[in-house]
Amino acid sequence: MMADQQHVVVNLNDLTPAGQASAWQIPDLLERLPARRPVYRVDDLYERVYVAYGENRADPVGRISVYPQRLLPYRDPDTGGAKLLSAALVEFPTTAFMAPDVWDMLFEAALAHVTTVGVYLPPECRRHVDYLQGLGFKRYADDYDSTRSLYLRHGPTGDRPPVYPILPGTNLMRTANASSALMPETEAWAAVENYSGFSGYAWLTPLLDSLLGSPTRLLSMPAGTGDVLRLLPERLLHTVEACVGVDILDRNIEFARARAAHPHVDTLNMLVSATFLEAGVTGDPAPALALLREVCARAGRPVGYDAARDLYIELRAVAGEALTCGGIADWFALTKGIGRFVAGPDTLMPSVALADAIGPDGVRALAARHGGLPDPASFVELRDRGGVAFETGDMFAYRSARRFDTIFVWEAMLIVAAAGRQREYVEMIDANLATGGTVVLTGIRRDDGRPGRDLEILAAEFRRTGYTVVVTDASPPTSRWARGLLPQPVFPVLIATRTCP
């Protein structure tokens, strides 16, 4: 067996002829290996691919994917609450795509490279329970929507990775950013490497357009990687005077500032994301392959069809996870991948490096043929007149010299779930919100369709403080750049108005 940091080749020459004959044949588009990456980064979601070959070195007979670090959501059997566990994830086949001997060798080769690993088994795969138990796996719990069971095997150290709890009685939405569940307590935020961005990248602009009135001074907290300020509706870009984003993580603020300084990054990112979404819907990879080749050429690294196909395969492996929020939502995963392919694996802010290599005019030319992508000109005007600022700060202790008339909080469970500090957070909002000002907080949804406990807790605390409170729903349409390629989610929303001086 040979291995590098990103893909493993398993020698299957000892397979019987019958085993080779019954092995799953890789479709044409998957024949070539993904481009190798010498460095693995936990925030990129790139799969580690285990590929099996028989005697014919050009014809793989099997392949599995392993995600070396994933957040595995599950339902705690003791409390009924949703939790997240950090472990490797192996994708188990739902049907016998590969010969059993091929699967055995691939699976055990993968287990040799990870310590704690988890496998989800949906009901149709329960026949594999005995197989997993024979390899030392134990049933841990049901996943967060109770349709699959999570089986775990810990490495020889026996150390269980940290579990980040969510308040019992709440549940993760399908469209929610699973990484948001990592931050129930602010003390843990800086230690969690996978926290990045928001889950509503594709829906955020219409959501803000429906929830925000005409703010003069807007505070976004947590700022994440700057989505709220960077994706404000066009009408607000012309009227708002000052927008401030505050986050506890320095690297989030660093990337938010980079996006503000290079707003064409988002235009390119929307273009690439939309093209991959469309390929997933239509099943036709040709437009995505053509875009990859043109992007690489404009960035100074022209590639042939075969190299573009390899890159497409690797990116496609994370597109569903990153763009539909089935796990850690990282909307920049695709441009990160292309950026590191073009500029090298150690490139800092590879999405920015890629967009800058193409240049604002080149990005604008690419976007013009796609249509529907926003022009960052209005944002640039707001930025240039000093209307956009990002800073690192404690979510509870933050105090601004001037109050804000609007405060927007994305996914309130980041702040209050299991932390027991909702009163401190409301006190922070009250100290920064002007009289007559409004705070808008989105939340999560329970299995029964009601808003999660996070908004109930905050609603009670705001009412105690003298605020007028409304809990409602918002269902923004998919933004124009995604052209209806994504479902239309429903976000529970709490709107509280400060009526007391």
Side-chain angles (χ1 to χ4, degrees):
M1 182 176 69
M2 301 181 299
D4 64 22
Q5 291 184 326
Q6 270 311 306
H7 99 270
V8 177
V9 175
V10 179
N11 187 352
L12 295 181
N13 288 329
D14 295 332
L15 274 182
T16 64
Q20 292 190 28
S22 61
W24 172 46
Q25 297 302 307
I26 307 297
D28 177 68
L29 193 60
L30 295 178
E31 283 183 358
R32 289 177 172 79
L33 294 175
R36 296 189 180 189
R37 292 183 176 280
V39 177
Y40 176 73
R41 298 171 186 264
V42 298
D43 64 336
D44 286 338
L45 301 179
Y46 289 115
E47 61 183 348
R48 181 173 295 165
V49 181
Y50 290 73
V51 183
Y53 291 91
E55 294 182 359
N56 183 357
R57 189 63 181 80
D59 189 13
V61 295
R63 161 192 174 115
I64 63 172
S65 297
V66 179
Y67 296 87
Q69 183 171 348
R70 288 291 296 276
L71 305 176
L72 308 184
Y74 68 96
R75 185 173 298 284
D76 189 321
D78 297 324
T79 66
K83 292 187 178 181
L84 285 175
L85 180 73
S86 179
L89 175 66
V90 176
E91 291 186 340
F92 209 93
T94 56
T95 56
F97 289 125
M98 285 179 279
D101 291 344
V102 176
W103 167 256
D104 286 344
M105 293 193 72
L106 286 171
F107 194 44
E108 295 201 37
L111 296 182
H113 287 80
V114 294
T115 54
T116 298
V117 61
V119 172
Y120 281 121
L121 289 186
E124 63 269 22
C125 290
R126 296 294 161 83
R127 63 182 181 276
H128 301 306
V129 171
D130 291 341
Y131 173 81
L132 289 177
Q133 289 177 341
L135 293 173
F137 282 76
K138 295 181 180 180
R139 184 179 180 277
Y140 201 68
D142 289 332
D143 79 333
Y144 60 89
D145 63 4
S146 300
T147 61
R148 303 172 297 176
S149 293
L150 174 62
Y151 291 81
L152 285 180
R153 192 184 83 167
H154 299 292
T157 61
D159 293 334
R160 178 169 294 182
V163 174
Y164 302 92
I166 303 173
L167 195 67
T170 64
N171 190 18
L172 293 173
M173 289 195 312
R174 275 292 183 190
T175 55
N177 178 2
S179 65
S180 63
L182 285 172
M183 273 62 64
E185 303 181 30
T186 52
E187 290 80 4
W189 286 12
V192 179
E193 297 183 1
N194 284 7
Y195 172 42
S196 65
F198 296 113
S199 62
Y201 188 82
W203 305 281
L204 195 54
T205 297
L207 182 71
L208 294 170
D209 205 17
S210 65
L211 294 177
L212 302 183
S214 300
T216 302
R217 289 179 51 80
L218 171 66
L219 172 65
S220 171
M221 181 186 290
T225 55
D227 286 22
V228 170
L229 304 193
R230 177 61 191 89
L231 303 178
L232 284 173
E234 182 77 14
R235 65 176 181 84
L236 295 183
L237 295 175
H238 297 290
T239 60
V240 69
E241 295 177 3
C243 304
V244 178
V246 178
D247 197 274
I248 197 170
L249 294 183
D250 287 326
R251 64 184 180 83
N252 280 358
I253 294 302
E254 183 181 4
F255 187 50
R257 287 172 175 163
R259 289 171 66 189
H262 310 263
H264 57 291
V265 170
D266 280 282
T267 304
L268 179 63
N269 192 59
M270 292 176 189
L271 174 62
V272 174
S273 297
T275 304
F276 270 78
L277 283 171
E278 190 166 8
V281 171
T282 64
D284 179 11
L289 287 168
L291 178 65
L292 284 177
R293 294 188 67 185
E294 183 165 8
V295 166
C296 290
R298 286 180 177 269
R301 185 179 175 181
V303 294
Y305 176 81
D306 289 344
R309 185 168 66 169
D310 290 344
L311 182 59
Y312 172 78
I313 293 169
E314 184 174 6
L315 294 174
R316 188 184 62 176
V318 303
E321 198 71 28
L323 304 185
T324 62
C325 309
I328 308 168
D330 184 355
W331 279 90
F332 285 86
L334 301 182
T335 48
K336 278 182 183 177
I338 304 171
R340 289 197 174 117
F341 176 80
V342 169
D346 295 321
T347 305
L348 297 176
M349 297 190 187
S351 296
V352 178
L354 176 68
D356 281 354
I358 298 173
D361 291 339
V363 171
R364 193 176 298 113
L366 288 170
R369 287 180 300 178
H370 181 273
L373 298 174
D375 188 331
S378 298
F379 177 83
V380 170
E381 291 178 5
L382 175 63
R383 179 202 66 191
D384 290 348
R385 66 173 185 263
V388 177
F390 293 99
E391 56 186 277
T392 305
D394 188 308
M395 300 296 169
F396 296 90
Y398 176 77
R399 296 294 184 272
S400 173
R402 290 185 59 193
R403 291 178 180 255
F404 298 87
D405 54 24
T406 303
I407 298 177
F408 183 82
V409 181
W410 179 262
E411 290 188 358
M413 73 173 177
L414 290 171
I415 307 301
V416 302
R421 300 181 66 186
Q422 61 270 13
R423 183 159 297 184
E424 293 177 67
Y425 192 70
V426 171
E427 289 174 354
M428 178 278 297
I429 288 177
D430 190 62
N432 290 291
L433 192 63
T435 301
T438 300
V439 56
V440 179
L441 307 98
T442 67
I444 58 175
R445 182 169 300 283
R446 287 189 265 200
D447 290 335
D448 59 9
R450 292 184 297 148
R453 283 274 294 155
D454 53 348
L455 293 191
E456 291 180 359
I457 293 171
L458 280 175
E461 191 60 35
F462 275 114
R463 289 190 180 104
R464 188 194 67 82
T465 311
Y467 280 61
T468 300
V469 177
V470 174
V471 178
T472 184
D473 286 330
S475 186
T478 302
S479 65
R480 58 184 178 176
W481 62 267
R483 296 202 302 266
L485 298 171
L486 290 168
Q488 185 172 338
V490 178
F491 296 96
V493 176
L494 184 154
I495 302 174
T497 303
R498 188 175 190 266
T499 55
C500 302

